Amino acid sequence: AEQFFWWVTTHSKALVLAGIMLIVSLAAFIPQLTMDTSADSFIANDNPARVYRDQVKQVFGLSDPFVIAVINRGATGVFNPETLQLVQWLTDRVKTIPNVDPDRVMSMATENNIVGTADGMQVKKFFQPPPVTQIQADTIRAAIADFPLYQGSLVARDDTATLITAEILDEMKSEATYQAFMSLVQEAPQLPGVDLHVAGEGAISGYLFNYIDHDAKRINPVVAIVITIVLFIAFRTVRGMLLPNLVVLGTAAAAFGTMAAGGIPFYVITNGLLSILIGMAVAEPIHLLTHYYEVGRAHPHLTHQELIVRTMTEVWKPLTMTILTTVVGFISLYASGGMPPMQYFGLFA
């Protein structure tokens, strides 16, 4: 081991340069890192249920929907002129949102009522234009009541809510689409007693995308600052603060760059990976620097290279055992996680 560390320190510049080049080459893939915040990501691609669902979505052209729920718990529920006019207003504007398929927007303003007649049947929209009197609204309620298909799906059975559903063209743009839906709801006319909610699997995916991005920008800098403060208290030197943080930077760049290069997306729980990497990447440098300074104080006559060799010769075994037990722990999570986000969390940690 001592001979090995003599060789390493003798060729330190070349080895450091090679390490930096490797890390930079991996970090170059980070812009290609994609984010998958869908519920489907927790099911393996070869799972029979996932395979069958993907086939159904492909055959029928389905996508994860965005939903606006219009809720009115008043005496007439949603069946009053003001609320139904709001439904029409929202439906028209949802169709104009980028990434929304205007032909796959469904609400009471778009659906047809089918009525049997002496000659066969009559097909016409529930309302177009929207009603302006309560009598017209009551007529629409009666039509919905005679159409069981829409009860409990398009309109709540107690008439207190109705949905506006929209399918999107590109599920990878869920975050921007979610922001557009939220802006639309905020711009909508405010009616007394009427609540608007954005929901649906597509909206959840977009919300998580936005939440993860916001959370990462807030928590990860805090973790880095706290660790830097701890390093300053421990060593009270610029070198003692900077070197562990450089290790953290290289670790994070290599981990996320490798994920991107391997085509592994950033999942919901991956947001916690950086904090774990920071903690693990700082642990070994703290041990090394602590022992380095202790050896330096005990043997001030040693050269810088001799200090490093002696430090590494004395601490490489416990550090290696610590690293190996950490690797085994996370690899076991990869081997037994079952769900892709958990598996890849363990693998890249």
Side-chain angles (χ1 to χ4, degrees):
E2 185 176 354
Q3 292 177 350
F4 172 75
F5 292 121
W6 274 112
W7 178 84
V8 169
T9 52
T10 302
H11 302 85
S12 58
K13 292 182 179 180
L15 291 173
V16 169
L17 179 62
I20 292 175
M21 292 177 61
L22 176 61
I23 292 172
V24 170
S25 64
L26 290 173
F29 289 96
I30 291 180
Q32 303 177 21
L33 187 65
T34 60
M35 185 174 289
D36 186 356
T37 57
S38 66
D40 293 344
S41 66
F42 285 87
I43 305 174
N45 289 331
D46 58 353
N47 185 287
R50 174 78 179 269
V51 172
Y52 180 72
R53 187 187 178 213
D54 290 344
Q55 290 176 345
V56 170
K57 291 175 68 174
Q58 183 177 4
V59 170
F60 293 98
L62 302 177
S63 64
D64 296 334
F66 278 75
V67 177
I68 297 179
V70 182
I71 301 174
N72 188 335
R73 295 184 173 87
T76 60
V78 297
F79 291 102
N80 59 75
E82 294 78 14
T83 304
L84 294 178
Q85 289 170 17
L86 177 60
V87 171
Q88 180 73 65
W89 187 92
L90 289 169
T91 302
D92 292 340
R93 278 153 183 78
V94 165
K95 291 181 179 181
T96 65
I97 292 178
N99 197 39
V100 167
D101 186 349
D103 296 327
R104 303 301 292 268
V105 176
M106 185 176 72
S107 72
M108 282 196 291
T110 65
E111 297 309 290
N112 293 321
N113 184 25
I114 303 175
V115 181
T117 65
D119 300 324
M121 64 180 181
Q122 183 184 53
V123 180
K124 62 178 182 179
K125 293 188 178 297
F126 283 107
F127 61 84
Q128 193 175 21
V132 294
T133 66
Q134 186 59 47
I135 295 177
Q136 293 174 325
D138 291 338
T139 301
I140 295 171
R141 172 163 41 189
I144 292 289
D146 289 336
F147 209 128
L149 181 64
Y150 292 131
Q151 296 176 25
S153 56
L154 186 63
V155 180
R157 297 187 186 278
D158 61 0
D159 298 337
T160 60
T162 184
L163 301 181
I164 302 167
T165 64
E167 294 186 13
I168 59 177
L169 300 172
D170 186 354
E171 294 183 359
M172 298 305 296
K173 299 179 180 179
S174 294
E175 192 269 342
T177 308
Y178 170 76
Q179 295 290 356
F181 269 82
M182 294 301 297
S183 298
L184 176 62
V185 167
Q186 293 173 358
E187 296 169 3
Q190 302 296 314
L191 300 179
V194 176
D195 297 324
L196 300 178
H197 300 279
V198 177
E201 189 173 351
I204 292 173
S205 178
Y207 170 78
L208 287 175
F209 191 108
N210 182 67
Y211 181 84
I212 288 172
D213 184 59
H214 174 76
D215 190 55
K217 290 179 180 178
R218 180 179 58 182
I219 191 65
N220 291 326
V222 171
V223 173
I225 291 172
V226 170
I227 287 181
T228 301
I229 293 173
V230 171
L231 291 171
F232 175 76
I233 295 173
F235 301 117
R236 294 184 298 278
T237 65
V238 174
R239 180 169 54 183
M241 287 191 302
L242 292 183
L243 289 179
N245 277 308
L246 289 176
V247 175
V248 168
L249 185 63
T251 300
F256 291 112
T258 307
M259 285 181 62
I264 307 302
F266 192 101
Y267 297 105
V268 172
I269 66 171
T270 310
N271 194 37
L273 180 59
L274 182 57
S275 296
I276 288 181
L277 291 178
I278 291 175
M280 292 193 299
V282 166
E284 277 70 32
I286 286 179
H287 287 299
L288 288 174
L289 287 173
T290 300
H291 202 78
Y292 172 85
Y293 287 131
E294 289 177 351
V295 173
R297 285 195 299 268
H299 305 280
H301 61 280
L302 296 179
T303 66
H304 181 56
Q305 185 179 15
E306 290 172 337
L307 277 176
I308 295 175
V309 172
R310 184 160 183 168
T311 299
M312 293 304 301
T313 302
E314 293 177 0
V315 302
W316 77 270
K317 284 185 178 180
L319 286 185
T320 301
M321 293 300 111
T322 300
I323 293 171
L324 288 178
T325 54
T326 303
V327 170
V328 170
F330 281 107
I331 288 297
S332 65
L333 182 63
Y334 170 74
S336 61
M339 296 181 290
M342 296 296 293
Q343 289 180 306
Y344 290 120
F345 186 94
L347 178 63
F348 289 98

